[in-house]
């Protein structure tokens, strides 16, 4: 993802234009199935609140699912500045990460980790996540790699969007910190090292018990 996003940076303006994202707008990205546990409706409400508060924001939704009609209805009725990209496979979704400025994952307690946060951070994006998203304590440090809000509190989510959209250069700087964290601490090699350390510890414990 990181390599793909790096290659796509030169196409960022064209990608944003393709999805109706203006150059002076901060784009918040939702990636996932449009199902209740992902709480995409909270994402839309947050965009709506931020826009009504005067923030120059827009949303990009990547994914399909049972709530698509509800999403379309909300966007149409409220005239929310959101583009629905539909499903993008793994080779295409990096285009969305390259076009956006910040990932939002408002999921409920069913989100045991939230791998899209790793993907987005690898592409240089900070993240706004609910306090029920599993990876939050590990990946999201407040005002450093993103923000955490109480799940279901759309006013708090809208406030995060409004606050972060006021300083786009800072968002980019936070994305750089997030990228360094996820590539350094959550790489395949670090996973192997952690697994080997666990095995060594278990083997030492079993020998001691014997």
């Amino acid at each position: 993802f990181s390599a793909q996003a790096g290659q796509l940076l030169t196409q960022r303006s064209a990608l944003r234009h393709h999805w109706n994202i203006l150059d002076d707008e901060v784009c918040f990205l939702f990636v996932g199935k449009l199902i209740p546990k992902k709480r995409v409706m909270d994402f839309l409400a947050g965009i709506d609140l931020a826009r009504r508060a005067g923030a120059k924001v827009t949303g990009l939704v990547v994914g399909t699912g049972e709530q698509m009609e509800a999403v379309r209805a909300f966007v149409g009725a409220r005239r929310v500045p959101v583009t629905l990209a539909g499903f993008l496979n793994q080779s295409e979704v990096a285009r969305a990460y390259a076009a956006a400025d910040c990932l939002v994952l408002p999921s409920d307690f069913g989100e045991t980790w939230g791998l899209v946060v790793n993907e987005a951070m690898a592409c240089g994006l900070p993240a706004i996540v609910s306090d029920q998203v599993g990876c939050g304590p590990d990946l999201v440090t407040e005002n450093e790699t993103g923000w955490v809000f109480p799940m279901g509190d759309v006013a708090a989510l809208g406030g995060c969007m409004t606050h972060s959209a006021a300083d786009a250069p800072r968002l980019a700087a936070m994305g750089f910190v997030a990228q360094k964290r996820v590539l350094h601490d959550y790489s395949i090699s670090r996973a192997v090292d952690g697994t080997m350390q666990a095995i060594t510890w278990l083997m030492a414990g079993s020998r001691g018990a014997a």
Side-chain angles (χ1 to χ4, degrees):
F1 281 100
S2 179
Q4 282 181 297
Q7 294 168 359
L8 289 166
L9 282 179
T10 58
Q11 304 173 39
R12 176 174 160 86
S13 181
L15 289 169
R16 287 170 71 91
H17 178 75
H18 173 72
W19 282 313
N20 304 310
I21 305 165
L22 300 180
D23 290 337
D24 63 347
E25 292 178 324
V26 170
C27 178
F28 292 98
L29 173 67
F30 175 94
V31 178
K33 293 180 180 178
L34 306 187
I35 56 177
K37 84 168 187 177
K38 299 287 186 179
R39 300 188 72 90
V40 65
M41 304 307 293
D42 289 0
F43 172 80
L44 300 177
I47 293 284
D48 188 35
L49 287 172
R51 177 67 90 172
R52 291 176 186 275
K56 298 190 78 170
V57 300
T58 189
L60 179 61
V61 173
V62 175
T64 58
E66 64 189 70
Q67 291 187 302
M68 178 60 85
E69 289 307 312
V71 167
R72 287 199 180 107
F74 186 96
V75 170
R78 301 286 188 93
R79 305 178 111 185
V80 184
V82 169
T83 297
L84 307 180
F87 173 77
L88 298 178
N89 65 34
Q90 194 170 19
S91 65
E92 297 174 315
V93 72
R95 296 165 56 228
Y97 292 132
D101 297 292
C102 183
L103 178 80
V104 179
L105 187 60
S107 304
D108 66 19
F109 55 86
E111 195 73 72
T112 54
W113 181 259
L115 194 58
V116 292
V117 178
N118 292 70
E119 295 174 359
M121 287 187 171
C123 293
L125 298 184
I128 299 173
V129 304
S130 85
D131 59 2
Q132 298 301 305
V133 171
C135 70
D138 294 277
L139 297 183
V140 183
T141 301
E142 196 82 9
N143 294 308
E144 185 176 316
T145 61
W147 294 270
V148 178
F149 71 96
M151 187 271 290
D153 188 341
V154 294
L157 174 55
C160 282
M161 291 178 170
T162 303
H163 169 73
S164 57
D167 193 350
R170 182 163 177 259
L171 266 182
M174 291 173 67
F176 178 73
V177 175
Q179 185 179 50
K180 285 180 63 178
R181 173 174 299 179
V182 79
L183 293 182
H184 181 266
D185 295 339
Y186 292 87
S187 65
I188 293 174
S189 61
R190 287 299 294 267
V192 171
D193 290 344
T195 302
M196 293 305 297
Q197 289 172 12
I199 292 171
T200 300
W201 181 83
L202 285 170
M203 292 296 291
S206 65
R207 285 196 295 270

